[in-house]
Amino acid sequence: MTATIGTTPAAAHHPAPEPAPVSRQLLVGRDDGYGDLALERFALAPGARVWHAPAAPCDRLLVVLAGRARVGVEAGGPSVELAADEVVHVAGGHAHRVDVLAPGPGGCLEWILLAGPRPDPQP
């Protein structure tokens, strides 16, 4: 009979890494030939602080890909809860915030943010 003492799977010594609190990836930039549009992908880990976006001159669409989020406009302003495949419009000139209500299958709240064309400057 052969016995092995004191061995454990490698995973017991090296647990899977925790997801980064915030991950941000630019998918389409304003210089990529799609007009004046920008598309970014975000992931926010549970327990991370609320993610804040400053006011922008353009309209933005926030689409939840995985998980559940609370998205609010301005500090103390109205908010909406979104699940996967739901979208909210953030009008130009308004800041917004995103909070994780429930992570998606990958362990994070995931969303994309589409920033529309910048408004024409007023004469």
Side-chain angles (χ1 to χ4, degrees), residues 54-95:
C58 58
D59 286 358
R60 293 169 285 180
L61 293 176
L62 187 148
V63 182
V64 173
L65 301 174
R68 290 183 41 87
R70 179 176 297 114
V71 180
V73 179
E74 306 294 345
S79 65
V80 64
E81 291 185 12
L82 301 174
D85 299 326
E86 293 183 328
V87 62
V88 67
H89 170 252
V90 179
H94 294 279

Side-chain angles (χ1 to χ4, degrees), residues 11-122:
H13 296 292
H14 303 286
E18 292 291 320
V22 177
S23 169
R24 184 176 188 171
Q25 178 185 13
L26 181 64
L27 302 173
V28 174
R30 296 192 187 277
D31 297 328
D32 287 337
Y34 293 96
D36 202 17
L37 298 175
L39 182 65
E40 294 178 272
R41 184 181 179 119
F42 293 84
L44 186 62
R49 294 176 295 169
V50 175
W51 184 81
H52 294 273
C58 58
D59 286 358
R60 293 169 285 180
L61 293 176
L62 187 148
V63 182
V64 173
L65 301 174
R68 290 183 41 87
R70 179 176 297 114
V71 180
V73 179
E74 306 294 345
S79 65
V80 64
E81 291 185 12
L82 301 174
D85 299 326
E86 293 183 328
V87 62
V88 67
H89 170 252
V90 179
H94 294 279
H96 70 276
R97 64 192 183 283
V98 178
D99 191 13
V100 178
L101 296 179
C108 291
L109 168 68
E110 298 178 44
W111 76 93
I112 56 173
L113 187 65
L114 173 65
R118 296 178 182 144
D120 291 329
Q122 299 300 318

